[in-house]
C-alpha cells in the first residue's frame, strides 16, 4: 500500500506540486492524467526521490519517510521498494538485455548470479524477448527496449512500478506491444502508477484515474467516472482536447 | 663554413637519447597514474557537488590551469630548494637542499599538472553519460558508488581514453621542461654530449626523434585500447 500526504515540490520559485494526497491500495492500477506542466511526472519522480520533495510524507510498503528529514538510507529503502519505467527507456547502454534485467538483483540486492539469471530469463520471456538476451540496447527497437525496461522493473518484484509516459517516445506501431505487456502485468495484480496519454489504457485497465492540473489533484475516481462523467470543468476541457469525438459514446 | 651535419654523431646521440627513455617514462607515467587517481577523485567531488570541497577544487583547478607548466615547475623547484635548508635545520635533519632529488620535484610538479588536466578530462567524460543512466541506476536501488562502478565509469571510459592519451602525450613532451630544473633526461642527456663539440643540432634532432617515436607509440596504444572498449556502442551513437 502507498500513502502520500501533503507532497510539495518547487523548482526555484516555480511551485510544481502544491500538496498532493493519495492512497493506492495493493494491486491497484492508477493512471495519472493531466496537461503538460501539470506536475504529474514530477509527482511520480518524487515517489522514488529522483526529485527531492520539499515537504510531505510518503509510505511505501513498510517504509515511511518524512520528506523534510529523510535520510540517505531511507531514500535507498524507498528506491528498493519501487521500480521505474522511463519515457526514454534508460536501459544501461553498456549491458545486454539480460544484464539490464539482472543488474537490479545482483548489485543492490546481492542475489547470487545464477539465481538472478534464472529469474531474469523467465521475465524476459514473459515480455516476449526470450530470444534477445544478448542484444545490447542499441541493437533493439524502441518497443523492445521499453519491454526490457519493464522486465528490469518486474525483476525487482517491487511494491509498485512507476511508469513515466512509457509509450510517448515510441512509434505509433510499437505502442501496442508495450501496452500489451503493461496490461499483462496489471492483470497479475502488481501495483502500478502510470503517467500516460493513452486513454484506451486508462479506460481498459485503470482501477483509478487521477486528473492533476496546476500541481493539485483536480478530480479522481474510476475510469468511467473521470473519463466519461467528469465533474470538474477543467477535467472536461482537458478531455475534450485529447479524446477523439467518437470516443464520447462508449 | 658551410652547413655540416655529423650523421655519425647524430646516430650516437640517438643511442644516448634512448638510454634516457626510462627517465622520460618516469616523468610521464607516474604523473599520469597520480593524475588519474586524484583527478578521478576531484572529478567525482565536483560532479556530485560535495559541499566546500567542490568549490575548493574548482578554484584550485582554475588557478593551476592558468599558469604555464614551466612556471609551475620552476616555482615549485625554487620554493623547495630555498626553504629546504632552514626546514632541515629546524627538524635537525642532516641534509641540505643539494640532497633533494630534482627528479622527485619534477615528478611532483608534473603530477600536480596532470591531476588538474585529467580531473577536467574525467569530469567531461562522466558528464557525457546521459542523466537517464544515472536515474535508472538510482531507480533500481543502486548506491552512488555502485552506479559509478557498474554503469557510469564503463560508459565514460570510451570517451575518456582518447583524451587521456592526448594528456599522456602532453606529459611526455612536458617532461622536457624538467631539463630546466637540472633533471638529466633526454634533452640534458644529449646536450651534455654536445657540450664539447658544439654539435647541438644533432643533439636536439636526436632528442626530437625519440620524443616523436614515444608519442607515436602512445598513439598506437590508445588506438588499440579504443577498439577494445565500448563494443556495446557498435549499434549506433545513441
Amino acid at each position: 500500500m502507498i500513502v502520500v500526504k501533503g507532497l510539495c515540490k518547487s523548482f526555484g520559485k516555480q511551485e510544481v506540486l502544491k500538496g498532493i494526497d493519495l492512497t493506492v491500495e495493493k494491486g491497484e492500477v492508477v493512471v495519472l492524467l493531466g496537461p503538460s506542466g501539470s506536475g504529474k511526472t514530477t509527482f511520480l519522480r518524487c515517489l522514488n526521490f529522483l526529485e527531492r520533495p520539499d515537504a510531505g510524507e510518503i509510505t511505501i510498503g513498510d517504509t515511511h519517510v518524512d520528506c523534510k528529514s529523510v535520510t540517505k538510507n531511507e531514500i535507498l529503502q524507498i528506491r528498493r521498494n519501487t521500480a521505474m519505467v522511463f519515457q526514454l527507456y534508460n536501459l544501461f547502454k553498456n549491458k545486454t538485455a539480460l544484464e539490464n534485467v539482472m543488474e537490479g538483483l545482483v548489485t543492490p540486492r546481492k542475489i547470487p548470479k545464477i539465481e538472478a539469471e534464472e529469474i531474469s530469463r523467465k521475465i524476459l520471456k514473459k515480455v516476449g524477448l526470450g530470444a534477445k538476451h544478448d542484444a545490447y540496447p542499441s541493437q533493439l527497437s524502441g518497443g523492445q527496449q521499453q519491454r526490457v525496461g519493464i522486465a528490469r522493473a518486474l525483476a525487482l518484484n517491487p511494491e509498485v512500478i512507476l511508469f513515466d509516459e512509457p509509450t510517448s517516445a515510441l512509434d505509433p506501431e510499437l505502442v501496442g506491444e508495450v501496452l500489451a505487456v503493461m496490461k499483462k502485468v496489471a492483470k497479475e495484480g502488481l501495483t502500478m502508477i502510470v503517467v500516460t496519454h493513452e486513454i484506451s489504457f486508462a479506460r481498459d485497465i485503470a482501477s483509478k484515474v487521477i486528473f492533476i492540473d496546476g500541481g493539485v489533484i483536480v478530480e479522481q475516481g474510476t475510469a468511467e467516472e473521470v473519463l466519461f462523467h467528469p465533474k470538474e470543468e477543467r477535467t472536461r476541457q482537458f478531455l475534450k482536447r485529447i479524446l477523439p469525438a467518437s470516443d464520447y459514446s462508449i | 663554413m658551410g652547413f655540416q651535419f655529423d650523421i655519425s654523431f647524430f646516430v650516437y646521440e640517438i643511442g644516448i637519447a634512448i638510454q634516457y627513455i626510462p627517465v622520460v617514462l618516469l616523468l610521464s607515467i607516474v604523473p599520469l597514474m597520480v593524475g588519474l587517481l586524484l583527478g578521478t577523485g576531484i572529478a567525482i567531488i565536483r560532479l556530485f557537488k560535495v559541499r566546500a570541497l567542490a568549490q575548493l577544487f574548482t578554484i584550485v583547478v582554475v588557478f593551476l590551469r592558468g599558469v604555464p607548466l614551466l612556471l609551475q615547475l620552476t616555482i615549485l623547484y625554487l620554493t623547495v630548494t630555498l626553504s629546504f635548508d632552514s626546514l632541515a635545520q629546524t627538524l635537525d635533519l642532516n641534509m641540505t637542499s643539494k640532497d633533494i632529488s630534482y627528479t622527485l620535484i619534477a615528478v611532483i610538479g608534473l603530477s600536480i599538472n596532470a591531476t588538474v588536466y585529467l580531473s577536467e578530462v574525467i569530469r567531461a567524460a562522466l558528464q557525457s553519460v546521459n542523466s537517464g543512466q544515472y536515474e535508472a541506476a538510482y531507480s533500481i536501488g543502486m548506491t552512488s558508488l555502485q552506479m559509478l562502478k557498474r554503469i557510469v565509469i564503463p560508459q565514460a571510459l570510451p570517451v575518456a581514453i582518447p583524451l587521456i592519451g592526448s594528456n599522456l602525450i602532453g606529459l611526455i613532451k612536458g617532461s622536457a621542461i624538467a631539463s630546466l630544473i637540472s633533471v638529466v633526461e633526454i634533452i640534458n642527456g644529449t646536450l651534455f654530449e654536445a657540450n664539447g663539440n658544439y654539435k647541438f643540432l644533432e643533439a636536439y634532432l636526436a632528442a626530437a626523434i625519440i620524443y616523436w617515436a614515444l608519442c607515436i607509440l602512445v598513439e598506437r596504444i590508445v588506438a588499440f585500447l579504443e577498439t577494445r572498449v565500448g563494443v556495446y556502442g557498435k549499434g549506433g551513437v545513441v
Side-chain angles (χ1 to χ4, degrees), chain A residues 45 80 91 93 103 109, chain B residues 133 135 141-142 150 232:
Chain A
R45 289 162 59 84
R80 287 181 185 177
L91 296 185
K93 283 193 270 185
E103 191 61 36
R109 287 170 183 76
Chain B
Q133 300 285 311
E135 290 181 355
M142 281 187 172
R150 311 264 313 168
Y232 59 86

Side-chain angles (χ1 to χ4, degrees), chain A residues 148-199:
Chain A
V148 175
I150 295 173
R152 177 173 68 183
L154 282 175
L156 305 173
N157 194 22
E159 291 278 335
V160 57
I161 301 185
L162 312 168
F163 291 82
D164 182 12
E165 303 199 27
T167 57
S168 298
L170 293 171
D171 284 347
E173 55 178 332
L174 300 178
V175 169
E177 64 187 69
V178 171
L179 286 181
V181 168
M182 287 171 65
K183 284 177 185 173
K184 199 166 155 188
V185 172
K187 282 188 180 135
E188 283 175 15
L190 252 138
T191 316
M192 297 162 60
I193 302 180
V194 187
V195 171
T196 185
H197 296 295
E198 293 292 333
I199 294 297

Side-chain angles (χ1 to χ4, degrees), chain B residues 72-148:
Chain B
Q72 282 176 18
L73 271 189
T74 43
I75 289 170
L76 181 70
Y77 164 80
L78 288 171
T79 312
V80 171
T81 48
L82 293 178
S83 63
F84 191 81
D85 285 340
S86 58
L87 191 71
Q89 226 165 24
T90 46
L91 290 176
D92 231 6
L93 291 172
N94 195 16
M95 283 169 86
T96 67
S97 57
K98 298 261 182 323
D99 299 322
I100 323 168
S101 153
Y102 296 148
T103 312
L104 182 65
I105 296 178
V107 166
I108 292 170
L110 286 161
S111 295
I112 293 171
N113 188 262
T115 299
V116 168
Y117 279 94
L118 286 169
S119 80
E120 287 293 274
V121 163
I122 291 163
R123 195 168 63 91
L126 291 176
Q127 279 180 343
S128 76
V129 177
N130 188 293
S131 64
Q133 300 285 311
Y134 289 79
E135 290 181 355
Y138 283 138
S139 82
I140 63 167
M142 281 187 172
T143 61
S144 298
L145 209 65
Q146 289 170 337
M147 174 188 71
L148 281 172

